[in-house]
């Protein structure tokens, strides 16, 4: 049975990637699976369940609404909301019993007040900006002061101290070591007073790159989904891509030399040829930047995308003679026969990263988990 467009997600791959990541860690360090942005486009609830089965000890999201969704499906798991929260979102996160991130004294006061009003003790992760230049305080002494404030408050518990790397995926980067050094000092100072606080810093790239970055917990997203944190071949790190994106050939038509396909006539057949039409487009997340700049697999062979990608259709040059017929399956990301198009290849063509490719598959595309 072919479908107009479907993303198939192999949950066994998610489980296996989690145990692969855990094999990099010492017993001290736990895997937290990052399932924000609908698990990087893979489907948050199904992937969260598979990650927990694969050995993840907790889950992380970016937003309060994501946390609420995860809490609804997993009443007992450890859950961290990593992003900034408005006052309204804070209540949602606390009601979802999510641990939350804090780096400003005024926000800590608000958290304490809302926790008291809701009758919960808020579990707080104090964030050091060790060099990412986004969320977090740059002042290590402020992290310590915030931890102490949590200890003194009846409404707060210091649950974590953490940071995020800017260049973990750049193998030659010295800045990574600088950030790690700064965080090591702060984490040691916090843990000297509060040994139970979870120190965490590493994303997927850092896990493979530097065991010293593992601390008590690592926060991995991209590798959980079998995508390569360094934009190379996931197989080199024994990761298995979980997602494949499929469509089908809705029509095959004969083109004479000079005939054009699609808006703006950006491609004209250089010679007589056959053109296949796939009924998916940028409305599904097949980016317009792939116009005349991509390939799909049909009958186990690569075929070039020709013409401009439109919202709901794209055209493929099948060559002057073809066995391709309407109804054949087309693979946009994934394997067919001996051939494979990886998200990393699509990302390279679009001058972006695999993260954006899978996050960009739109809600119009059903996710089928198996
Ligand atoms: C704060 C934070 N931690 C961890 C991650 C997971 O990173 P990765 O998907 O590279 O493993 C992200 C994702 O962007 C993040 O924003």
């Amino acid at each position: 049975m072919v479908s107009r467009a479907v993303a198939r997600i192999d949950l066994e791959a998610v489980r296996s990637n989690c145990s692969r990541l855990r094999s990099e860690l010492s017993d001290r360090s736990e895997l937290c699976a990052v399932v924000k942005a609908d698990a990087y486009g893979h489907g948050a609830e199904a992937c969260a369940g598979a990650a927990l089965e694969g050995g993840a000890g907790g889950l992380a999201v970016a937003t309060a609404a994501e946390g609420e969704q995860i809490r609804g499906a997993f009443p007992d798991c450890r859950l961290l909301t990593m992003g900034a929260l408005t006052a309204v979102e804070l209540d949602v996160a606390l009601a979802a019993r999510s641990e939350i991130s804090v780096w400003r004294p005024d926000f800590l006061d608000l958290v304490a007040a809302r926790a008291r009003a809701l009758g919960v003790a808020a579990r707080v992760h104090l964030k050091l900006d060790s060099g990412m230049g986004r969320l977090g305080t740059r002042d290590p002494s402020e992290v310590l002061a915030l931890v102490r404030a949590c200890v003194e408050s009846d409404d707060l518990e210091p649950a974590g101290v953490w940071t995020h790397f800017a260049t973990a995926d750049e193998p030659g980067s010295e800045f990574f070591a600088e950030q790690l050094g700064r965080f090591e000092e702060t984490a040691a100072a916090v843990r000297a007073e509060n040994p139970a606080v979870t120190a965490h810093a590493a994303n997927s790239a850092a896990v493979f790159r530097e065991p010293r970055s593992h601390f008590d917990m690592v926060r991995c997203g991209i590798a959980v989904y079998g995508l390569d944190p360094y934009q190379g071949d996931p197989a080199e790190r024994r990761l298995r891509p979980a997602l494949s994106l499929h469509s089908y050939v809705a029509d095959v038509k004969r083109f004479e030399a000079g005939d054009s396909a699609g808006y703006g006539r950006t491609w004209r057949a250089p010679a007589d040829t056959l053109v296949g039409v796939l009924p998916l487009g940028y409305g599904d997340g097949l980016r317009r930047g792939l116009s005349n700049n991509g390939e799909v697999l049909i009958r186990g062979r690569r075929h070039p995308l020709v013409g401009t990608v439109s919202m709901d259709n794209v055209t493929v040059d099948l060559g002057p003679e073809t066995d391709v017929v309407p109804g054949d399956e087309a693979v946009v990301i994934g394997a067919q026969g001996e051939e494979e198009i990886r998200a990393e290849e699509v990302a390279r063509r679009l001058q972006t990263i695999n993260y954006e490719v899978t996050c960009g598959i739109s809600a119009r595309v059903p996710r089928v988990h198996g």
Side-chain angles (χ1 to χ4, degrees):
M1 268 284 283
V2 293
S3 302
R4 185 193 69 79
V6 61
R8 298 192 189 285
I9 290 93
D10 176 359
L11 294 177
E12 183 46 40
V14 173
R15 285 188 280 269
S16 126
N17 295 327
C18 287
S19 45
R20 167 74 188 97
L21 283 161
R22 285 190 73 209
S23 75
E24 292 286 321
L25 307 178
S26 73
D27 290 344
R28 169 188 162 187
S29 185
E30 185 164 81
L31 171 64
C32 172
V34 177
V35 296
K36 61 185 175 149
D38 202 27
Y40 296 30
H42 292 64
E45 286 180 30
C47 289
L52 293 169
E53 285 161 14
L59 302 170
V61 294
T63 72
E66 290 172 343
E68 191 178 36
Q69 181 197 7
I70 290 296
R71 179 56 79 218
F74 303 96
D76 301 320
C77 76
R78 188 169 185 190
L79 173 64
L80 168 64
T81 301
M82 300 186 292
L85 298 167
T86 65
V88 171
E89 289 169 332
L90 173 60
D91 277 7
V92 174
L94 291 176
R97 288 175 287 116
S98 175
E99 301 178 20
I100 56 171
S101 175
V102 174
W103 58 93
R104 292 168 56 97
D106 56 348
F107 189 65
L108 193 69
D109 291 344
L110 178 66
V111 174
R114 293 313 302 158
R116 172 156 292 222
L118 294 166
V120 297
R123 287 177 53 79
V124 171
H125 292 239
L126 292 317
K127 185 163 196 184
L128 178 73
D129 175 7
S130 59
M132 179 60 130
R134 301 189 319 201
L135 306 178
T137 171
R138 290 203 161 140
D139 180 357
S141 66
E142 188 154 57
V143 172
L144 269 173
L146 291 167
V147 172
R148 287 177 189 146
C150 290
V151 172
E152 278 162 22
S153 165
D154 291 338
D155 306 303
L156 304 169
E157 283 175 27
V161 54
W162 70 302
T163 196
H164 191 43
F165 294 115
T167 59
D169 58 347
E170 294 172 26
S173 159
E174 288 169 15
F175 193 62
F176 175 79
E178 259 179 61
Q179 280 196 266
L180 180 55
R182 283 180 205 144
F183 182 67
E184 273 175 330
E185 268 182 40
T186 304
V190 168
R191 287 172 53 88
E193 291 181 14
N194 301 274
V197 165
T198 304
H200 51 106
N203 58 1
S204 300
V207 164
F208 290 111
R209 170 184 181 144
E210 177 52 83
R212 260 174 61 217
S213 73
H214 295 177
F215 297 96
D216 306 309
M217 185 172 93
V218 300
R219 307 181 309 270
C220 294
I222 201 79
V224 165
Y225 309 109
L227 301 172
D228 188 61
Y230 306 95
Q231 305 302 314
D233 180 355
E236 282 175 16
R237 285 172 195 84
R238 285 181 281 126
L239 296 170
R240 281 169 50 190
L243 179 144
S244 54
L245 179 61
H246 307 251
S247 180
Y248 78 106
V249 179
D251 201 1
V252 175
K253 55 210 318 171
R254 195 162 288 287
F255 272 45
E256 289 178 5
D259 285 351
S260 67
Y263 287 117
R265 310 191 73 197
T266 62
W267 179 81
R268 291 171 197 231
D272 291 359
T273 192
L274 290 154
V275 168
V277 185
L278 314 185
L280 91 168
Y282 63 77
D284 301 292
L286 187 76
R287 291 257 304 276
R288 200 164 175 272
L290 293 170
S291 300
N292 299 303
N293 177 33
E295 291 182 322
V296 296
L297 305 178
I298 307 169
R299 296 207 170 216
R301 294 186 303 269
R302 285 174 177 262
H303 295 279
L305 297 181
V306 291
T308 304
V309 176
S310 24
M311 193 183 294
D312 316 308
N313 292 286
V314 66
T315 35
V316 176
D317 189 1
L318 301 170
E321 282 173 31
T322 186
D323 52 355
V324 173
V325 292
D328 281 354
E329 185 200 52
V331 172
V332 179
I333 297 171
Q336 195 186 50
E338 301 293 300
E339 277 287 354
E340 187 179 8
I341 295 176
R342 292 193 287 264
E344 290 77 11
E345 173 185 333
V346 177
R348 237 181 343 269
R349 290 181 182 279
L350 291 165
Q351 296 181 309
T352 183
I353 50 177
N354 45 12
Y355 299 69
E356 196 183 9
V357 169
T358 60
C359 283
I361 298 172
S362 77
R364 191 165 83 170
V365 178
R367 269 64 171 177
V368 174
H369 298 97

